[in-house]
Amino acid sequence: MPGPPGQRSGRPTHPGVVFASMGCCQPREKMEDKVAKAMYGDMFDNTAPRKTKEAHCSWCYEFTMHFFIKDKDHWLCDACKGKTAEAPRCADAMARLETSNKRSAVCAKTLPNWEEILEKKKKVFSKQWNATKIRYELTRESPTRHQASKEGLVRPFLYLASMSAPHRALLAIQLGWCPFTEEAFGDAHEEAWQILAKKYMGLRARC
């Protein structure tokens, strides 16, 4: 039976629900308590001082706030929730942690295609996303759609293809790779299939 108005149920909010409600890759001045609580549960201490740093994120390519997670010994981007580390060669950027080894962290701002990727991301994210565009993506044919149908994955494939580019990007980052550096970025069908079937990292590999 639902409780009185304003009272929350006992079931904890899944982090994915919290992140989706906040949108994707939008810089915020501080991490909201509900996000930290959803991610860290009883380890979250609202009264403890937080070590922060404002810098470019090598995951989402946004200039945003990063929070140091002491228990896990890494930083967390406030915009995309990607794991980051300080970049020794770039004071205004944070490297992305694709593995647990900090020596393999990638600082995107030091790469020669930084500006090119920024421009491509801006172009893709600025495209209008409405019912007409969604209907087009749901009905058009493509090699990846045929592959998804062949392997019995057409329903989750179409669901992912109907999502906006920012939301697919956020999901890819949470699964462990930077979508903006992939050749598939900008094609809804290619991105959807990659999220489903990327080797060792896609949703299918995790089920």
Side-chain angles (χ1 to χ4, degrees):
M1 179 180 295
Q7 180 177 329
R8 297 182 179 180
S9 63
R11 179 180 297 177
T13 303
H14 190 278
V17 177
V18 178
F19 299 156
S21 69
M22 294 172 63
C24 171
C25 301
Q26 295 298 320
R28 304 175 67 85
E29 294 183 358
K30 68 175 184 177
M31 178 185 289
E32 295 186 12
D33 291 347
K34 64 177 183 178
V35 176
K37 182 67 176 178
M39 293 181 65
Y40 307 112
D42 295 335
M43 292 191 297
F44 170 62
D45 183 2
N46 187 38
T47 62
R50 297 176 187 168
K51 186 179 178 181
T52 62
K53 181 177 181 179
E54 199 169 14
H56 293 280
C57 176
S58 294
W59 284 106
C60 64
Y61 284 72
E62 294 284 349
F63 188 76
T64 183
M65 191 70 73
H66 298 254
F67 294 83
F68 183 68
I69 311 302
K70 184 177 180 180
D71 293 333
K72 299 182 180 295
D73 194 30
H74 64 67
W75 296 73
L76 195 75
C77 172
D78 190 29
C80 67
K81 309 304 179 267
K83 296 178 183 179
T84 57
E86 291 182 300
R89 293 191 299 164
C90 196
D92 64 341
M94 297 291 279
R96 60 176 179 264
L97 280 176
E98 297 177 336
T99 66
S100 58
N101 186 359
K102 292 184 178 180
R103 293 184 178 181
S104 63
V106 178
C107 179
K109 202 166 188 293
T110 61
L111 301 178
N113 61 352
W114 167 262
E115 293 294 340
E116 179 184 343
I117 292 177
L118 274 179
E119 188 61 31
K120 185 177 181 180
K121 177 194 171 185
K122 181 180 178 181
K123 182 179 179 180
V124 172
F125 278 19
S126 65
K127 290 181 180 178
Q128 189 176 16
W129 194 252
N130 51 32
T132 301
K133 181 62 175 175
I134 293 173
R135 191 177 299 112
Y136 167 75
E137 295 295 350
L138 291 176
T139 56
R140 77 178 175 95
E141 299 295 329
S142 70
T144 48
R145 181 187 180 125
H146 293 161
Q147 186 68 21
S149 181
K150 180 181 178 181
E151 299 190 23
L153 296 170
V154 69
R155 286 190 176 183
F157 172 83
L158 291 176
Y159 177 77
L160 290 166
S162 70
M163 294 170 64
S164 66
H167 281 89
R168 278 194 303 273
L170 178 61
L171 182 53
I173 291 171
Q174 292 302 304
L175 289 173
W177 71 88
C178 178
F180 311 118
T181 61
E182 302 285 335
E183 291 184 8
F185 181 60
D187 185 310
H189 282 202
E190 293 289 340
E191 290 179 27
W193 182 245
Q194 192 174 57
I195 290 171
L196 281 174
K198 190 175 180 67
K199 192 173 183 179
Y200 303 128
M201 304 176 76
L203 294 174
R204 182 173 60 178
R206 297 167 184 260
C207 295

